[in-house]
Structures are given as C-alpha cells and as structure tokens.
Amino acid sequence: EKGKYKYFMLKEIYEQPKTILDTLRGRLLIPEKIIYIDGIESNKDIFINAKCITIVACGTSWHASLIGEYLLEELTRIRVEVEYASEFRYRNPIVGKKDIVIVISQSGETADTLAALKLAKKKGAFVFGICNVVGSSIARNVDAGAYTHAGPEISVASTKAFTAQITVLVLLALIIGKYRSTINDRCYEFLCKELGSIPGKVDYALKTDDTIKKISQVYHNANHFLYLGRGINFPVALEGALKLKEISYIHAEGYPAAEMKHGPIALVDENMPVFVIATKKGYYNKIIGNIQEIKARKGKIIAIVNEGDIQVNMLADHVIKIPNISEILSPLITVIPLQLFAYQIAYIRGKNVDQPRNLAKSVTVE
Ligand code: M6R
C-alpha cells in the first residue's frame, strides 16, 4: 500500500535506500571483500573468456544497460554493445556460440525483450537475465541470471527497479573484473566499500526533495527541457528526460553535454531550462565549459553538484547538492533528484503520476 505517500512512484523513489541494500544483501560481503552471485559463479569460465557482451532491453532498462556498458568496459575490458530489444530482434544480429547476451527487464514480460532473448538463444549465445519479477517469462527462459530485489514496482514510471538494475550491474562488473584481473585489489576493495555506502548516500540525496519542490514551482509551465550529462552520467540524463516525458507530458531530451554544439544548442533561449549533471569527478571542467555555452544563450541551468562545489554553484541558476561518490557509482545518486523532479512537476501539473496516459506497466505486445 501507499502508506503516507500520495502516489506509488514517490513511495518507490523513497524505498531506494532499502531496495539497493536488499539487492546487495548476501552478495556484497565487505569485511571478507567478496562479491558472490550464484549465476555468475557457476558460469565463471564463460565470463572470464568472453570477447563481447551484448545487452538488450527497452526503456528505462535500456538506460541501465548503457550504464552497464560503461561499468563493464571500464572494469572488465570486455567490449559491450547495447541494443534496443525491438531492433535487435528484427535484424540479423551478430551473436554466436561463445557470446554473452544480457537481457534486462523489470517485469520480465516485455514482448520485445523476450523475443530478443529467444533469438539470442537460438543463435547459441549464453543468455544472462537481470529481472525483478521472480518466475517471470524472461527469468524462466535465460541460462542464468541475478534478480534485482526491488520488490513489486507498481508505478508505471520505473525508479527503484532502475537503481536495483544498476546495483546488479556494478556487482557483475566488479566480479568479472576481479576474475579477469582487469581491476587491481586496491580499486576492487575501495569500490566494494563505496558500494556499501550507497544506501546511506541515496537516503541523503532524497533530502534534496525540498529544494526540488521549489525549483519545480519555477519551471512547471515550461514546454521543453534538456538534460545533459557526460560519461557514465549521459544515460542518467536520458533517464531524467524519459521520466519527465512519461509522467508530466513535457517534451524533454537527454544529450551528452558535448554534443550540444553539434545541433541542439540551437534550441537554447531564455525559455529553455537545462538540467546538467555536474558532479565533481567526471569531466568537471568540460561540463563547466558546456554550462557557459548555455548561459551565453540565456538558457536556465539547474545543476546537480557535489556538496562543497564552488564553480558550478556560481554559474548555475539553481543547484541541487548530492553527496560525493566515485564517478563509476555516481548514477545511483545522480538519478535520485531527477526522479524527484519528474514526480514534483507531474504532481504540480495535476497528472495521474502512477498511471500516465497511453502507457502500461509492462508492454507485453510489440
Ligand atoms: O519491464 P521492463 O523493464 O522490460 O520494461 C521496459 C520498459 O517498458 C520500461 O522501462 C518503461 O520504459 C518504463 N515505463 C520507464 O519508466
């Protein structure tokens, strides 16, 4: 039940410290410096020897897949391709006997993802699933997998399933990286510890809600939004834009910040609010340059920054402060204010947050 929350979406956003912890529980053993996932342990050699991994998904799960691409390539040095399930299934994808295909789905019932899974299996690939719903069609059809322990997600807009998917992908990348010796022990141990601190930091990031309510009051009548991020936070920008589109019906686009000058900056004027993920670690100086370009065209900047930030603080129209964390784990924190923002805007606009028009929770037809 919704309890004190007006909508399931808000409840599910607030559940994330717990759902991430549940997804880590029994898998991340910090004192022992061990990560254990049964479906990986029993297929160790396949992961160690992989030449290429293809990740297939739709919607928010596709955004998690893109984050997975950054994580896996960085920590395991295995080449990763990410595909929309609907595209993958209708071409003749190059996957063969020794290849790994990872399918990601909250519901485990998405028709396109299920069809992509079956095609990959037919071609002889080893298919690994990341699903939330236990016993779902996708979970039943994969060769091995790991569940996200996010609990039932009722709201059509996916939130806690997304962060649980990223959590599993981080664990996956860390284990495989350790097997393949593509991460050194120090880095592995450091990231394990950082990962353990995530639930507490998500809890802290949720405290940005009051600031976000105020910012939402300023922009709820805007017709368009841009979301910018770089590196591993580029898919987070895509996810922020998708959340806003889905529940508030405002047109929004996500871009890698440096792509602005190749076209989209033509859209920027005083009526264009621009969300920028500008955390201290990744590409910070580059992002400052991108912010200046937008300011020069009178765009309004809403920046997500780390506590203690000075430079972006001086440039942006609004700042949302989140706790510091390693760049590679940062999507688990940076997405929180974007989820809250989409919710607050939809709420102010009086939309049915949990059941947006034209959308279904699981898309079981193509
Ligand atoms: O259940 P799945 O993860 O396979 O669903 C995929 C998409 O349909 C889903 O993520 C959709 O984009 C959500 N409404 C996003 O909030």
Side-chain angles (χ1 to χ4, degrees), residues 57-63 104-111 113 130 132-133 138 153 155-159 161 165 239 242-243 246-247 356 359-363:
C58 304
T60 286
S61 300
W62 184 77
H63 296 154
I104 305 184
S105 173
Q106 186 286 128
S107 62
E109 301 297 344
T110 300
T113 313
I130 300 176
N132 194 44
V133 177
I138 292 176
E153 193 181 61
S155 160
V156 166
S158 182
T159 54
Q165 289 164 346
E239 175 61 7
L242 178 64
K243 287 288 89 89
E246 280 191 290
I247 58 168
L359 297 175
K361 180 63 185 161
S362 80
V363 185

Side-chain angles (χ1 to χ4, degrees), residues 251-263:
H251 169 233
E253 290 194 57
Y255 267 100
E259 268 297 302
M260 287 297 287
K261 56 182 166 302
H262 299 288

